[in-house]
Structures are given as C-alpha cells and as structure tokens.
Amino acid sequence: MRKKIVAGNWKMFNNLEESKELINGILEKLKNEKVNCDVIICPPYTSLSESAGLLKGSVVKLGAQNMHAEDKGAFTGEISSSMLKSAGCEYVILGHSERRTIFNESDDDINKKVKKAFSAGLKPIFCFGETLSERESGITNEVVKRQVTEGLKDIPESDLVNLVVAYEPVWAIGTGKTATPEQAEEVHSFVRSLIKELYSETAAENIVIQYGGSVKPENAADLLSRKNIDGALVGGACLKADSFIGIIKSA
Ligand code: 13P
C-alpha cells in the first residue's frame, strides 16, 4: 500500500514574512486534522531555513524547488544540494516544466541533478509531462517515456525508495484546466508499467506517482481515488492554507 504525498510548490511566491504567515496558518489548521498522507511544502530558497524552524516537530516536511548539480563553484546565483540539506530540506523538486521550458533544462541536466540529490541524501520529486501540442499530436507517452527514461538514467533501483515522481501535463499547469482523472490515470498507469520495464515489478508497485496541474480541493478527491495516482503536487492552491488543507483532507 503506497502512502499518498501532497506537496505544495510555492514557486516564486511569498517573501519571508508571508512565508511565516502561511506556514503558521497551515500548522494551526492541521492541528485539528488527522493526517493520513505525507505533507511537503517547497517555499522559495530565501524562506527555507526559517521554514525548517517553524516546521520542526510537525508532520509537514520541507523541500526546495530546484538546485544545481555541482557541489560548489563559480555558479553565480545557484544553490547546491549541501546548502539545501543544511537549510533543513528533505526533498527537492527537479525537472519542473517551468525549469525545462523557461530555464532550458535538458533531460541530461535533470538527470545530473537527480543523481546529485540522491548522493546528497535529498529525496527528488522528479517532474515530467507533455505540452498541449505534444498531447494533440498523440505523442504523450513517447514524450513521457523519454523524460522518465533519460531523467532516471543510471539511477540504481536501490535509490527508488527515496524517489517521488510527478506527472504534470504542461497544459494543465496554472491554467485551471485539470487533466481528467481518466487522462491522468492513463499516463500514471503507463509510467508504472515503464518503471516495471526499466526496473522491476516491485519498483513499479512501490513508486509514488503524484499528479500536478490545477489540483484544487474540488477535484482532488476524484483524482486521488484513482488506482495509480498517489498524491498531488500543488501550485496555486497551496498558497492559501484553507485550500491546501482541503487537498490534504482529500488524500
Ligand atoms: P498549479 O496547481 O498552479 O496548476 O501548478 C501545478 C504545478 O506546477 C506544481 O508544481
């Protein structure tokens, strides 16, 4: 039985004060809830250390939204895995479509980051997903297969226990257009069979596959009730304590 994971990707929202306010709001509301899933928040870098302090002793875990693949060096503006670890992160989102498209990250770049995250003891939340034109051209599975195969290249099966993967169709991100539970389930089931092909039946059975793209309290329960949908990676709806808690309750 896979445990569901609800993660909030804050993207470039919330300065330090706003971050503290949102975290306090989430923790306050969670006090009255019986939480049956793992909960992760991924604030911007500048709020990570402070967030780690606020989250100590709570059920909410901390993640970052990106990192560099090198340990250190002359990479102005970048952040390393050890910086994230020492700021209190347990998870790191890698390969988000906004990183792939706006910042031109390739499958190979992302693969290097995934490897580095594992070696640093961080758990990657590895994202992939097709664009609208790729879906309309009927190549969704082909694109997803390439992204997953290349992104996880040379990753040993023993690392998979610390991996979360997230299917985020690009056309559903921030658009209000959610993939239907059937559309999402179809890709999730395909990815599970791909993991079986690349690794083993046990690896496929155990891997946690989140869905992301316009998840809201109103559609979360339906999505999360599908056999192969093991959680949600939430953007817009995680920026308000009430809607984030609503999704956690659905899980
Ligand atoms: P939205 O929930 O705003 O569509 O964003 C999804 C996302 O990109 C999470 O990583």
Side-chain angles (χ1 to χ4, degrees):
M1 199 42 198
R2 296 178 295 271
K3 194 173 183 190
K4 295 218 179 330
I5 301 185
V6 174
N9 174 8
W10 290 16
K11 307 194 180 183
M12 199 172 74
F13 291 96
N14 294 328
N15 63 24
L16 189 53
E17 288 312 311
E18 292 160 339
S19 299
K20 286 193 226 171
E21 199 179 315
L22 179 52
I23 290 173
N24 287 330
I26 292 170
L27 294 180
E28 185 57 37
K29 286 179 205 298
L30 274 183
K31 267 194 211 151
N32 310 317
E33 304 294 337
K34 194 170 169 288
V35 180
N36 289 321
C37 61
D38 283 327
V39 180
I40 305 165
I41 58 165
C42 303
Y45 293 136
T46 46
S47 297
L48 288 176
S49 291
E50 191 82 17
S51 302
L54 292 174
L55 296 177
K56 217 173 217 151
S58 81
V59 295
V60 182
K61 297 167 179 172
L62 187 66
Q65 301 172 19
N66 181 36
M67 61 171 223
H68 197 275
E70 295 296 328
D71 285 327
K72 58 175 77 167
F75 301 107
T76 302
E78 290 294 325
I79 301 276
S80 74
S81 55
S82 101
M83 293 169 191
L84 296 184
K85 277 291 277 187
S86 70
C89 290
E90 184 176 340
Y91 291 86
V92 59
I93 297 173
L94 296 173
H96 191 279
S97 70
E98 287 148 21
R99 300 296 319 172
R100 291 177 187 265
T101 55
I102 307 171
F103 300 98
N104 297 318
E105 288 189 12
S106 66
D107 290 321
D108 185 50
D109 295 331
I110 296 158
N111 177 247
K112 289 194 176 93
K113 293 183 180 196
V114 172
K115 285 180 184 154
K116 179 54 68 180
F118 282 129
S119 71
L122 287 163
K123 298 174 183 168
I125 300 177
F126 166 70
C127 305
F128 55 89
E130 82 288 3
T131 62
L132 184 58
S133 71
E134 288 165 341
R135 173 161 283 266
E136 286 173 348
S137 314
I139 57 167
T140 296
N141 285 0
E142 203 178 300
V143 170
V144 163
K145 182 173 183 173
R146 190 207 75 228
Q147 291 176 336
V148 173
T149 308
E150 295 297 311
L152 301 184
K153 199 167 160 215
D154 301 326
I155 302 293
E157 182 164 341
S158 56
D159 277 342
L160 297 196
V161 286
N162 291 319
L163 177 73
V164 178
V165 301
Y167 169 54
E168 295 208 314
V170 179
W171 49 272
I173 296 177
T175 57
K177 257 194 202 172
T178 321
T180 63
E182 291 73 24
Q183 283 173 320
E185 173 63 20
E186 197 181 344
V187 177
H188 282 231
S189 158
F190 171 72
V191 171
R192 207 174 294 288
S193 61
L194 179 60
I195 295 293
K196 181 175 166 188
E197 198 181 295
L198 295 172
Y199 293 96
S200 69
E201 186 145 13
T202 313
E205 203 38 57
N206 292 334
I207 194 148
V208 172
I209 311 177
Q210 293 181 309
Y211 167 78
S214 298
V215 178
K216 314 180 254 284
E218 299 77 38
N219 60 23
D222 200 3
L223 284 160
L224 292 169
S225 67
R226 305 295 154 140
K227 187 166 155 242
N228 288 295
I229 303 183
D230 308 317
L233 182 52
V234 187
C238 78
L239 297 173
K240 292 265 180 304
D242 278 331
S243 48
F244 191 49
I245 302 294
I247 296 167
I248 293 167
K249 276 158 87 173
S250 305

